[in-house]
Amino acid sequence: MEIVVQVLVDGASDDLTFSYTVPEGMSILAGQRVRIPLRNRTAIGTVISVKEQDTSQLNYRLKPIAGQVSEDPFLTPGLMELASWISSFYLTPIESVFRTMLPKPSRGDSEKRKTEKAVALSDKFKPAELDSFTGRQVKQREVLEFLLANGVESLAKLTGEHGFSRSSIKALEDKGFAVIKERVVTRDPLAEVEYVESKPLTLNPEQAEVLERVQQSAKAIEAGGKVKPILLYGVTGSGKTEVYLQAIQKAIDEGKGAIVLVPEIALTPQTADRFKKRFAKIKDQVAILHSNLSEGERHDEWRKVLEQKARIVIGARSAIFSPVANLGLIVVDEEHENSYKQDISPRYQARDIAVVRGHLEKCPVLLGSATPSLETWNNAQNDKYELTRMSQRIDDRKMPLIRIIDMRQEARKTQSGPTILSHKLRQAMEERLANGEQTILFLNRRGFAKNILCPECGYVANCRHCSTTMTLHRKEDRLICHICGFSQLPPRSCPECSSKSIVNAGYGTERVEEVLRQVFDRARIARVDTDAMRRKNQLRDTLSEFRAKKIDILIGTQMIAKGLHFPNVTLVGILNADVGLHIPDIRAGERTFQLLTQVAGRAGRGELEGEVVVQTYTPHHPSIQFARHHDFEGFAEQELQMRRQFGHPPYLHLVLITARSVHQQRAEFSLKTLHARLAKGLPEDMRLTEPLPSPLVKSHDQWRYQVILKATSARKLAAHVRKVMNDLTFPSDVIVTVDMDPYSMG
Ligand code: ADP
Ligand code: ZN
Ligand code: ZN
C-alpha cells in the first residue's frame, strides 16, 4: 500500500486529476498546493484527495510529487467542498474557483512573502560580555543593549529610526555576537491606528429577540438539527450592526470564528472601525479585507486567518472564501447589495455562497438589510429563511420625512441649463446652513456633463470603442467613456457640422459641486466620488472631517449612499432619482427603491429629525412612491407580483449567455449557432429567448450578442447549458460567457 494523491493541475479547463505518490518524509494533505512532474515540465496543482492505494497492480508507475508550495494546505475541507458546489452551479471549472479562493501571492509556484533582514543576538553572546565593550566600542554596546531589551529587530529599523550605524552591527556580526537573518514581514495596515474599546450596548427588546434567534439557531445546529438562514429585516438605524457585534462575540466565546461580509468600498472604513473598536482587546484576531489593501497586505491578512491567528474576518465579496476554521457565524450585511455578485468568472453571488457555506460548515447565517433583495424576501415568505424584524429606529427616532419634488414643474421655471436644485431643496439647505446642521446630496453620476451634443445637427459624442456616450470631465478637460475608460479632448465645435453651439447635456457630481459653490459661497463643500477620492485614505479622511463638522455639504455618488452614520445630518437630497430607473434591467425598479431608502436612511440618525428631498421626473413611479412611505413590504408585494407575471427572478432562474468578438458577424453567428443547439431538445419547462444584440452591443471594441434561458431549477438549467457547451467549439476570437443568475443584463 502506498499513499496516492489526486492533483488538479492549475489552468485545467476540466476537472481531470492526475495521481502521484508521496516521497518518503513528506506529508501531504488535501487542499495543499504542490509541484508535480507533468510530461516534460513541472506544473503546480492542488491536492484534491489523499488515499492509500495498492499500486502494485497498476501497469504503469506513478511519479512522486516534486515538492510542496507550502507546508500547510491553503484550502480547508469546507472550502474544497464549497468550490465543487460553485463549480457546478456557476458552470465554472473548479480550478478557477480554487484560484478565486486564494490571494494572488499564494497562487504561484512558491508563496510570495515579503521578507526583511533582521538582527538577533547569537547564542555566543552572554550579557556579561557587555562590559568588555568600552571606549570606541560603546556604540556596539548600545546595539547589544537594545537587542537585549527588545529582542529581534529589523535591520532597516535599527539603522533607521533607532540611529545605529551599519558598521557597529557589522562589527558585532564579525565577532559572532549578532546574526542577520531573513524573516517574513507581516504588514498590518491598521497597526498605527489606536482603537478605543467600545462596550456592548444594552439591547432593546427587538434586538435581543434577533440575537436570541441566532443563538437558538446555533444551539439547534449543535444538537444536530438543520436550520434556516435568518433574515434580519431591520429599518435603517434600527441597530443591526450592534446585533451583529454581539452575535459575533457569542461565537468567539464559544471558541469559534466568524465572517462578516460588507458591500464594496465606501462602507468599509466606518463599518470596519466599529468592528475593530468592539474587538479592540483582541484586535489582532480581526482580519479586515478591503479593496484598498495592497496585494501583500491582503495576503498577510489571509495568512493570519489560515494560521488561525485571526478568527473574525470582515470583508467584501471574496471574504466569503476566508479559510476560517470552525465557523460559528456568517453575517451578510446589506444582503441586497449588488456588489455581492461578481461580474467576472466565476460569476458567483457571495450572499448565496454564504448560505451554502453555512449549510456545508454547519453554522448560522444572518442576512441583514433594511431593503432585502426580492430573492431573500421571497425565501422568507416561503419559509425557506427565518424572518426576524426590527421595525423601530434606536430610541424610537422617527423615520425621516420624505418629500417628492416633481422636476417637470421645476424645469418649466428654469431659464437655461439643467435644473439641478429645486427651489424646495435649496431652501432646505439654506436652513441647515443657518442651523449648523449638515446636508448630504446624492447623485449617482460622476463627471461634469452626462454627454455633449450639438443642437443644430443632433451629433452626440460617442465612445469609439463602445456603444455609449462619453461623459465630460471638466477639471481634466476630457471626454471619458465610463465603460472602457477611453478619453479624448472635447471638441470645441461640432465635428459633424462645425457649429460652435455644442452643449453640455445633463449633469454629474462635478457640475453639482460647481453650482453649489456658486449658490452657497460660504458653505464648506466636499465631493466624494472616484474622481475626487483618488488618494489612499482620502475617503476616510473626508468622512472624518465631515463627522467633525468641518464640512457642511457632502455631494457624492453611491460611495456615500450606504451605511454611513452621521448624527448631525438632517437633510438628504437625492438630485435625480430617475438615474437608473430606465435602464434595461429587470432589477431597475428594485435598485431604485433600495437606493432611495438607503440614502434617505442617512438622514435623522441623531437626536435631530431628518428630512429627505427627492427630485424626480417620474414622481408617480412605484419605486419612488413606496420609498416615500417607507413601505418596503408594499413595494415587495407589487414588484413580486410583476416578476411572477413576467417570469422573472426570483420565480425563475436565468442564465445569460453572451458571445463577444471584435468581429461583429462572428459574435452574432456563434451566438446563433449556440441558440440553435440550445433550442434543440430544450426541456419543456425551460424557456429560451431569441438571439439578440446585448443592450450594450459594443463594449471595449467587442460586439456582443446574447440569449437568456429560464427555468425554475438552476440545476436543470446548468445541466442543459453544460451539455450543449461541451459539444460546441467556437472560433478562437469569439468568447462565450455563461452567467447564472445574472445581475447585469449586458
Ligand atoms: P443600522 O445598521 O440598523 O442602520 P446601526 O447599527 O448603525 O443601525 O445603529 C444606529 C445607531 O444606534 C448607532 O449609533 C448605534 O451605536 C446605536 N445603537 C444601536 N443599538 C443600540 C442600543 N441597544 N442602545 C443604544 N444605542 C444603540
Ligand atoms: Zn452639429
Ligand atoms: Zn468606451
Side-chain angles (χ1 to χ4, degrees):
M1 291 296 251
E2 244 185 312
I3 306 275
V4 173
V5 296
Q6 300 290 319
V7 178
L8 181 68
V9 180
D10 282 12
S13 58
D14 47 31
D15 298 349
L16 200 69
T17 58
F18 297 99
S19 300
Y20 292 89
T21 57
V22 179
E24 200 69 31
M26 195 188 279
S27 98
I28 295 287
L29 295 163
Q32 203 160 347
R33 306 266 301 146
V34 290
R35 280 186 285 276
I36 44 169
L38 188 71
R39 288 177 208 106
N40 298 324
R41 62 186 177 107
T42 304
I44 311 292
T46 305
V47 176
I48 300 291
S49 65
V50 182
K51 52 178 188 249
E52 272 194 78
Q53 196 181 322
D54 182 4
T55 51
S56 60
Q57 303 303 317
L58 296 174
N59 51 6
Y60 53 90
R61 273 186 62 82
L62 292 180
K63 288 183 181 164
I65 279 180
Q68 301 162 313
V69 170
S70 91
E71 279 170 20
D72 42 0
F74 287 171
L75 295 162
T76 61
L79 286 175
M80 304 267 285
E81 209 182 339
L82 188 65
S84 120
W85 187 92
I86 293 172
S87 161
S88 74
F89 189 90
Y90 292 103
L91 293 129
T92 324
I94 196 162
E95 191 277 327
S96 91
V97 183
F98 283 163
R99 225 177 314 134
T100 305
M101 289 179 159
L102 300 179
K104 220 175 186 178
S106 64
R107 289 180 202 157
D109 61 353
S110 65
E111 192 183 5
K112 292 192 183 54
R113 308 200 65 181
K114 194 177 172 194
T115 57
E116 64 176 3
K117 288 196 163 56
V119 186
L121 292 172
S122 73
D123 295 339
K124 189 178 162 196
F125 173 75
K126 302 281 173 303
E129 249 138 339
L130 277 181
D131 294 334
S132 63
F133 286 85
T134 50
R136 299 171 75 185
Q137 295 185 341
V138 69
K139 286 264 163 16
Q140 293 173 35
R141 181 190 167 120
E142 283 169 11
V143 175
L144 291 169
E145 281 169 341
F146 180 91
L147 292 174
L148 263 181
N150 297 286
V152 189
E153 181 59 288
S154 95
L155 180 61
K157 274 197 181 165
L158 284 175
T159 53
E161 60 196 66
H162 301 308
F164 297 115
S165 75
R166 186 73 181 82
S167 58
S168 321
I169 297 167
K170 175 87 173 45
L172 290 171
E173 202 188 358
D174 291 344
K175 289 178 185 145
F177 289 151
V179 284
I180 299 185
K181 49 188 179 184
E182 286 290 321
R183 68 169 178 188
V184 170
V185 203
T186 307
R187 290 138 289 190
D188 179 359
L190 295 172
E192 310 296 309
V193 193
E194 284 281 333
Y195 287 96
V196 185
E197 188 188 3
S198 76
K199 295 274 182 237
L201 302 168
T202 310
L203 298 184
N204 66 28
E206 283 190 328
Q207 289 174 311
E209 166 74 21
V210 179
L211 185 63
E212 179 58 30
R213 299 272 282 274
V214 179
Q215 292 296 99
Q216 280 170 2
S217 192
K219 279 195 201 116
I221 293 176
E222 248 352 86
K226 273 199 176 155
V227 298
K228 302 167 187 166
I230 301 171
L231 167 62
L232 166 51
Y233 161 45
V235 299
T236 54
S238 58
K240 295 185 286 296
T241 311
E242 185 62 31
V243 175
Y244 306 152
L245 290 167
Q246 299 201 16
I248 294 165
Q249 184 64 58
K250 302 262 187 206
I252 295 296
D253 293 345
E254 297 283 317
K256 300 191 169 182
I259 295 178
V260 184
L261 296 188
V262 293
E264 204 57 70
I265 36 180
L267 247 179
T268 330
Q270 215 179 12
T271 314
D273 282 358
R274 281 174 82 176
F275 284 86
K276 279 273 185 183
K277 277 183 187 155
R278 178 60 53 86
F279 301 107
K281 277 206 186 124
I282 50 168
K283 179 177 154 214
D284 295 340
Q285 295 184 31
V286 184
I288 300 203
L289 307 167
H290 56 77
S291 45
N292 277 342
L293 294 187
S294 68
E295 214 168 68
E297 287 171 333
R298 180 171 279 275
H299 182 235
D300 288 346
E301 294 290 286
W302 172 83
R303 257 274 162 211
K304 259 174 34 188
V305 180
L306 188 70
E307 290 164 11
Q308 297 188 42
K309 289 178 188 150
R311 288 193 288 162
I312 306 172
V313 178
I314 298 148
R317 189 170 64 219
S318 62
I320 193 58
F321 301 128
S322 303
V324 178
N326 200 4
L327 262 179
L329 179 69
I330 303 176
V331 174
V332 184
D333 188 22
E334 311 287 357
E335 68 82 31
H336 62 277
E337 273 289 322
N338 291 322
S339 64
Y340 287 129
K341 169 80 177 178
Q342 172 149 297
D343 55 12
I344 54 168
S345 180
R347 298 182 154 76
Y348 66 91
Q349 199 336 330
R351 178 238 301 147
D352 296 345
I353 301 296
V355 170
V356 176
R357 187 164 181 192
H359 177 75
L360 293 175
E361 299 198 28
K362 302 196 171 42
C363 84
V365 177
L366 181 60
L367 311 175
S369 176
T371 52
S373 64
L374 293 181
E375 283 81 358
T376 298
W377 186 247
N378 192 48
N379 280 332
Q381 298 295 311
N382 295 335
D383 233 19
K384 283 190 189 156
Y385 292 180
E386 189 178 333
L387 176 61
T388 64
R389 294 167 193 264
M390 299 197 318
S391 48
Q392 299 299 318
R393 281 190 155 183
I394 291 298
D395 296 336
D396 286 328
R397 262 164 217 152
K398 286 201 207 127
M399 295 304 285
L401 177 70
I402 301 185
R403 294 179 201 282
I404 309 291
I405 308 293
D406 186 344
M407 293 304 278
R408 293 170 304 186
Q409 289 177 15
E410 291 287 325
R412 273 175 225 132
K413 298 180 211 155
T414 314
Q415 307 301 329
S416 68
T419 323
I420 294 180
L421 291 182
S422 60
H423 179 70
K424 177 77 218 164
L425 180 54
R426 182 173 169 163
Q427 203 178 22
M429 290 173 73
E430 273 159 6
E431 279 169 27
R432 295 319 185 286
L433 285 171
N435 296 341
E437 292 162 24
Q438 291 168 293
T439 299
I440 290 179
L441 293 186
F442 174 80
L443 175 64
N444 215 358
R445 187 189 292 136
R446 62 198 173 87
F448 188 82
K450 188 182 171 209
N451 51 43
I452 62 167
L453 50 85
C454 169
E456 315 255 316
C457 75
Y459 161 85
V460 180
N462 282 316
C463 176
R464 72 169 75 138
H465 308 286
C466 310
S467 52
T468 188
T469 59
M470 307 263 281
T471 305
L472 177 67
H473 288 248
R474 186 131 102 185
K475 189 159 162 261
E476 287 136 88
D477 194 27
R478 303 293 286 179
L479 284 172
I480 300 177
C481 170
H482 285 182
I483 300 287
C484 73
F486 172 73
S487 77
Q488 66 184 54
L489 269 178
R492 309 295 165 205
S493 58
C494 176
E496 304 276 325
C497 75
S498 308
S499 159
K500 292 264 181 249
S501 54
I502 239 171
V503 295
N504 298 330
Y507 59 93
T509 44
E510 193 185 4
R511 190 168 195 173
V512 175
E513 185 187 1
E514 188 185 280
V515 168
L516 293 177
R517 292 197 189 281
Q518 284 159 11
V519 177
F520 307 105
D521 52 354
R522 292 258 177 78
R524 296 159 302 174
I525 297 164
R527 173 161 63 96
V528 173
D529 56 30
T530 46
D531 300 317
M533 298 290 128
R534 292 247 167 88
R535 185 165 52 73
K536 193 171 177 179
N537 291 331
Q538 198 169 4
L539 176 63
R540 192 186 202 104
D541 296 347
T542 306
L543 294 181
S544 25
E545 273 178 45
F546 191 57
R547 186 182 332 270
K549 302 187 194 172
K550 289 179 189 154
I551 295 167
D552 303 305
I553 304 170
L554 198 65
I555 160 81
T557 55
Q558 80 248 18
M559 277 181 116
I560 56 165
K562 306 141 202 164
L564 301 177
H565 180 73
F566 299 110
N568 195 43
V569 172
T570 56
L571 175 66
V572 168
I574 295 165
L575 296 181
N576 187 347
D578 309 323
V579 175
L581 205 48
H582 306 297
I583 49 174
D585 180 345
I586 42 178
R587 291 186 183 81
E590 183 183 2
R591 285 186 191 174
T592 300
F593 176 86
Q594 289 164 347
L595 198 62
L596 292 183
T597 307
Q598 296 291 344
V599 178
R602 300 312 113 213
R605 295 174 72 92
E607 314 257 291
L608 302 163
E609 231 176 276
E611 183 184 9
V612 181
V613 176
V614 178
Q615 303 187 154
T616 170
Y617 289 89
T618 52
H620 301 295
H621 193 285
S623 296
I624 290 173
Q625 284 302 322
F626 281 114
R628 174 188 185 185
H629 294 108
H630 305 285
D631 186 4
F632 167 74
E633 292 180 55
F635 171 76
E637 195 185 318
Q638 72 91 37
E639 182 73 17
L640 281 173
Q641 214 166 18
M642 201 185 74
R643 299 266 187 102
R644 186 194 289 275
Q645 211 173 345
F646 289 103
H648 285 164
Y651 296 102
L652 293 182
H653 283 279
L654 268 53
V655 191
L656 172 71
I657 307 179
T658 310
R660 52 176 217 264
S661 172
V662 287
H663 304 290
Q664 186 169 9
Q665 278 93 357
R666 280 194 225 180
E668 190 177 4
F669 182 76
S670 298
L671 200 271
K672 283 191 170 155
T673 312
L674 183 61
H675 179 266
R677 295 293 187 93
L678 286 166
K680 211 170 80 186
L682 187 74
E684 234 169 60
D685 49 2
M686 258 175 227
R687 288 186 238 167
L688 180 66
T689 64
E690 289 306 307
L692 287 172
S694 301
L696 186 66
V697 62
K698 190 180 161 200
S699 162
H700 298 77
D701 281 322
Q702 293 200 309
W703 296 89
R704 298 139 41 98
Y705 289 81
Q706 66 181 42
V707 285
I708 294 170
L709 196 61
K710 297 183 184 186
T712 41
S713 157
R715 298 228 156 262
K716 284 192 192 163
L717 271 182
H720 185 58
V721 174
R722 194 175 297 119
K723 195 176 95 222
V724 170
M725 295 284 281
N726 280 346
D727 292 345
L728 274 177
T729 44
F730 299 99
S732 61
D733 52 4
V734 175
I735 298 166
V736 176
T737 57
V738 178
D739 190 356
M740 174 63 82
D741 294 344
Y743 271 53
S744 156
M745 294 305 172

